[in-house]
Amino acid sequence: MNWCIIIPLLVGAICALLGYLLGKILKNEENSGVDVDVWKNKVARLEADLKACKSAKELVPFNAAEAAAIFGKKIKENDLTLIEGIGPKIAELFHNKGINTWKDLSECNVEQCQSILDEGGDRFKIHNPGTWPEQAKMAYEGHWKKLFDWQEELDGGR
């Protein structure tokens, strides 16, 4: 057998195999990069859809006429003093902390409300904010009858 022919054939076969394997590896890296971009685009679209759904859910229209009919007085949108136990001074405390709407208050927990009262001084520490977030949620969601009935049972927010 002539080694002069076998050696180039063997080197050629090894180079062909290495070239094939290298091509596969590089092709997979290119495809995975494309796949990552495709998935990133899909995730971005889904996140945008989710944000749109959340914002649509958050848009609860305020019905002043319905609220006034149930409470027997004019109700201003996001008036924190509508909440049983909150007066103008407490509403001011909450406004100073960036809690300006019924939605904002509904997203607070009782401990956060109590902390705001405590920071306001001794005269506010006696108030009990235990029901305020839930009342605010009812107001924000427009459950006027349910809120009114509950407030009839409450004593200063307790």
Side-chain angles (χ1 to χ4, degrees):
M1 207 176 210
N2 192 350
W3 289 103
C4 291
I5 295 174
I6 293 178
I7 291 176
L9 287 175
L10 189 59
V11 169
I14 290 172
C15 287
L17 181 63
L18 289 175
Y20 174 77
L21 292 174
L22 187 59
K24 280 291 207 182
I25 290 170
L26 292 177
K27 182 179 177 188
N28 284 340
E29 286 180 7
E30 287 175 14
N31 283 344
S32 67
V34 171
D35 289 343
V36 169
D37 290 339
V38 168
W39 286 109
K40 283 182 180 179
N41 289 336
K42 285 183 181 182
V43 167
R45 279 194 310 259
L46 289 172
E47 286 175 342
D49 290 346
L50 178 61
K51 186 176 180 180
C53 286
K54 283 182 177 179
S55 66
K57 180 182 175 189
E58 291 176 2
L59 298 176
V60 178
F62 173 63
N63 188 336
E66 182 183 356
I70 291 173
F71 280 87
K73 63 180 182 179
K74 184 178 178 181
I75 303 294
K76 294 180 187 173
E77 185 172 13
N78 293 314
D79 180 7
L80 297 183
T81 62
L82 175 68
I83 306 306
E84 180 72 22
I86 296 181
K89 294 290 185 186
I90 293 175
E92 186 179 331
L93 286 177
F94 279 84
H95 288 171
N96 291 339
K97 293 295 183 178
I99 299 169
N100 299 307
T101 66
W102 293 323
K103 184 177 185 306
D104 294 340
L105 182 56
S106 73
E107 293 172 348
C108 287
N109 60 42
V110 176
E111 291 77 24
Q112 289 170 314
C113 293
Q114 188 63 57
S115 173
I116 292 170
L117 291 173
D118 292 345
E119 289 176 18
D122 289 336
R123 70 184 215 177
F124 296 109
K125 290 182 181 180
I126 63 168
H127 295 277
N128 181 355
T131 64
W132 296 355
E134 189 62 31
Q135 288 185 65
K137 183 177 180 187
M138 287 181 197
Y140 166 69
E141 292 176 348
H143 300 295
W144 303 114
K145 179 69 173 144
K146 187 176 175 182
L147 176 60
F148 180 79
D149 290 343
W150 192 21
Q151 286 183 346
E152 290 293 305
E153 299 172 16
L154 293 175
D155 178 27
R158 296 175 237 187

